[in-house]
Amino acid sequence: VRSLSCKSIAHVSIFTTASLPWMTGTAVNPLFRAVYLAKDEERKVTLVIPWLSLKDQECVYPDKMRFNSPSDQQKYIYQWLEDRTGFPSRFDIRFYPGKFSKYKRSILAVGDITEVIPDDEADIAVLEEPEHLTWYHHGKRWKTKFHLVVGVVHTNYLEYVRREKNGQVQAFLLKYINSWVISIYCHKVIRLSAATQDLPRSIICNIHGVNPKFLEIGKKKNEQQQNGNPAFSKGAYYIGKMLWSKGYKELFELLRDHQKDLGGLEVDLYGSGEDSAEVQEAFKKLELIVRVHPGRDHADSLFHDYKVFLNPSTTDVVCTTTAEALAMGKIVVCANHPSNDFFKQFPNCRTYEDDEGFVEATKKALSEEPTPLTDSHRHELSWEAATERFLRAAELDQTPPKRLTKSSSKLFMSTSMDLRRNIEDASALVHFVGTGFTDERPYQNAAASGWTSSFTSICRCLKLKPCEEGT
């Protein structure tokens, strides 16, 4: 029987799919989760991130940033964190080999990444984007290696896939693939919002916070307001990676269709990405004044004086920039969508149901002053509160921790439990055999490759020589 260790200090290993200086959610949020879980020294924490070749670093990291060794990147990450939190980090960083997929603009793990953590430290694994980390996982089974495996779902993959060619078919297949791999490899699943697909053994809880710098900016704005000084001298803006799927399409259509209703509105857009040229050209054609700028750090002083953050995106799970804008004391205008449910508790969050609602909410936001955040609201946005929510959701806040037992014996199992375990074991074996090769399009491959390539892949895994074609 294997049980969750009752050692005085448990080891938490956080695996994620990206790392700084790529400023994406799966690089930044797991990093803050690691630093705040380790802050009180009640547990040992290791963050496991991908190491990329210099060639792949050129494709992924901004401003031509390159690292010749993992230790160089490790130093950069620790310094970046200390500049933002104000205290030294007490967690370890380890690397697994990764490769960048240009097709999906994401990083894929190479080999068995569970080997990065020694067996005697394999207490708790947190898989940030568990579907992403397990689509191609070909190695030791996560549930066998670790006592407890918690998946954290960051991305609404189905919504992105639906926007591609044959999107509905691809989304249908991907939905079942995601459920399949997560049920094999995770004991518990935390979905950041109801915008994600329903998954086995999952609960909904926003376990993300904001960089402390944004809360400091909000405090200063609050002081300005209390002293009777103008705190917000600029109007409306939006910031996000410049892809049509990241809210720019929805914002363009809203502004285009209601130019007369929104007469006099000026909007600044900040972002960089593959669709930058198209976005800039499209917004130039509007009668409204829309200025398009390159991407900047949201904490830059350039953004401090904006009063209204417009975010019509519906592809996010929980939008980090929305949380940051609220922390800075701004009014946020966003869609009434499951991804924004967490933000509805804040008085400066204004949601809308339709186009007319967007126009009304935007006009009202520009004509009013933001409500100063209370200490309670400020705490809810912090990483301290997010860490408390994570520990509760993962049931790691119990003393001693709740035990999970694992037995190789079927003697004491009920028939139904035995059947369920056998089905799960068989599924894990099928997945292991099928991932003996790497394909960058899992859901497309499932639809198009047919039995021939699947059979060939299985033979390759088992080191068998396939029969000649047609025999």
Side-chain angles (χ1 to χ4, degrees):
V1 177
R2 298 185 70 220
S3 63
L4 189 60
S5 173
C6 286
K7 295 179 292 185
S8 58
I9 297 181
H11 194 118
V12 180
S13 303
I14 302 173
F15 293 79
T16 190
T17 57
S19 62
L20 295 183
W22 190 9
M23 293 296 291
T24 187
T26 49
V28 175
N29 290 309
L31 188 57
F32 279 110
R33 190 171 346 276
V35 73
Y36 280 92
L37 277 172
K39 186 179 179 181
D40 58 11
E41 300 186 273
E42 290 186 4
R43 58 195 67 83
K44 186 177 179 183
V45 179
T46 299
L47 179 67
V48 187
I49 58 178
W51 168 254
L52 298 178
S53 66
L54 288 173
K55 182 179 178 182
D56 279 349
Q57 288 182 41
E58 291 176 6
C59 298
V60 177
Y61 298 151
D63 303 323
K64 299 182 179 179
M65 294 190 70
R66 306 290 178 270
F67 303 99
N68 291 317
S69 69
S71 61
D72 289 342
Q73 188 169 5
Q74 190 179 69
K75 290 176 185 175
Y76 171 84
I77 292 171
Y78 282 139
Q79 187 60 55
W80 186 93
L81 264 178
E82 190 168 343
D83 290 344
R84 284 152 181 80
T85 62
F87 57 85
S89 300
R90 296 188 175 92
F91 67 94
D92 296 329
I93 296 177
R94 295 178 188 171
F95 293 82
Y96 65 82
K99 72 172 186 176
F100 181 64
S101 165
K102 291 183 178 179
Y103 179 78
K104 283 297 175 189
R105 291 202 59 79
S106 60
I107 297 171
L108 304 177
V110 177
D112 182 5
I113 66 175
T114 67
E115 293 178 351
V116 174
I117 302 297
D119 288 347
D120 61 353
E121 296 179 6
D123 289 339
I124 301 161
V126 180
L127 305 188
E128 310 274 356
E129 291 205 313
E131 64 280 74
H132 187 146
L133 284 168
T134 58
W135 280 332
Y136 309 108
H137 178 64
H138 185 72
K140 197 166 187 178
R141 191 171 167 190
W142 291 94
K143 287 182 182 178
T144 301
K145 171 84 175 189
F146 294 90
H147 299 287
L148 174 64
V149 183
V150 181
V152 180
V153 179
H154 289 246
T155 307
N156 189 355
Y157 284 111
L158 302 188
E159 183 60 32
Y160 286 117
V161 167
R162 286 189 189 102
R163 298 176 181 229
E164 297 181 1
K165 186 178 179 181
N166 300 320
Q168 292 299 326
V169 174
Q170 293 187 44
F172 175 82
L173 292 167
L174 185 59
K175 176 182 177 181
Y176 287 98
I177 289 174
N178 288 347
S179 294
W180 181 49
V181 294
I182 287 175
S183 67
I184 293 172
Y185 295 116
C186 295
H187 293 107
K188 301 176 184 292
V189 179
I190 302 172
R191 298 158 56 201
L192 299 178
S193 78
T196 56
Q197 72 177 86
D198 193 16
L199 290 163
R201 299 184 287 274
S202 69
I203 64 168
I204 296 170
C205 182
N206 176 23
I207 55 172
H208 286 176
V210 299
N211 180 334
K213 277 195 169 184
F214 294 103
L215 293 169
E216 289 300 319
I217 295 167
K219 285 182 181 179
K220 291 177 181 177
K221 288 297 176 183
N222 189 5
E223 290 171 5
Q224 286 179 276
Q225 288 177 295
Q226 289 179 341
N227 293 332
N229 298 321
F232 302 97
S233 58
K234 297 180 181 178
Y237 76 107
Y238 177 61
I239 182 173
K241 188 172 183 181
M242 205 158 279
L243 300 173
W244 283 115
S245 61
K246 288 286 189 178
Y248 287 94
K249 179 176 181 288
E250 290 88 345
L251 183 58
F252 173 74
E253 291 174 349
L254 286 165
L255 297 182
R256 179 197 62 194
D257 296 343
H258 299 278
Q259 296 186 75
K260 291 183 179 179
D261 298 325
L262 294 168
L265 174 67
E266 297 184 16
V267 182
D268 289 308
L269 308 180
Y270 294 89
S272 302
E274 294 90 326
D275 296 336
S276 293
E278 287 185 21
V279 169
Q280 189 162 2
E281 190 62 30
F283 279 95
K284 275 183 180 178
K285 296 177 182 178
L286 299 180
E287 296 175 12
L288 297 171
I289 297 175
V290 180
R291 294 174 287 266
V292 182
H293 310 276
R296 301 280 289 269
D297 187 330
H298 202 188
D300 193 296
S301 59
L302 175 72
F303 297 103
H304 294 187
D305 293 337
Y306 282 102
K307 181 167 67 172
V308 178
F309 179 66
L310 302 177
N311 185 7
S313 175
T314 55
T315 56
D316 292 304
V317 173
V318 173
C319 184
T320 301
T321 51
T322 294
E324 292 167 350
L326 288 169
M328 289 190 283
K330 306 180 189 302
I331 297 175
V332 170
V333 176
C334 57
N336 185 12
H337 184 264
S339 61
N340 295 319
D341 284 348
F342 177 78
F343 303 124
K344 292 177 183 178
Q345 64 183 294
F346 302 99
N348 288 328
C349 177
R350 313 289 174 80
T351 60
Y352 62 88
E353 297 282 352
D354 50 28
D355 288 19
E356 288 71 23
F358 171 80
V359 172
E360 182 181 347
T362 300
K363 284 182 171 182
K364 187 175 181 182
L366 289 167
S367 67
E368 298 179 349
E369 286 301 307
T371 302
L373 285 178
T374 65
D375 289 341
S376 175
H377 285 140
R378 197 174 289 112
H379 177 70
E380 280 298 295
L381 290 167
S382 71
W383 267 105
E384 285 86 355
T387 303
E388 293 166 7
R389 293 193 294 267
F390 169 76
L391 292 172
R392 287 197 301 270
E395 297 184 74
L396 298 177
D397 59 337
Q398 302 177 25
T399 307
K402 182 179 178 181
R403 291 192 175 194
L404 286 179
T405 60
K406 193 172 246 192
S407 174
S408 58
S409 170
K410 299 178 182 178
L411 182 61
F412 302 108
M413 285 186 178
S414 68
T415 303
S416 60
M417 287 178 66
D418 191 22
L419 178 61
R420 179 178 174 181
R421 175 63 57 81
N422 287 340
I423 291 173
E424 190 174 288
D425 289 346
S427 292
L429 178 60
V430 170
H431 186 257
F432 177 84
V433 173
T435 53
F437 70 105
T438 299
D439 191 308
E440 295 181 2
R441 293 162 291 179
Y443 44 89
Q444 290 184 345
N445 186 58
S449 64
W451 285 105
T452 302
S453 63
S454 299
F455 174 72
T456 302
S457 303
I458 292 171
C459 289
R460 188 183 295 118
C461 285
L462 299 176
K463 298 182 180 180
L464 300 175
K465 184 177 180 181
C467 300
E468 292 184 6
E469 185 176 0
T471 63

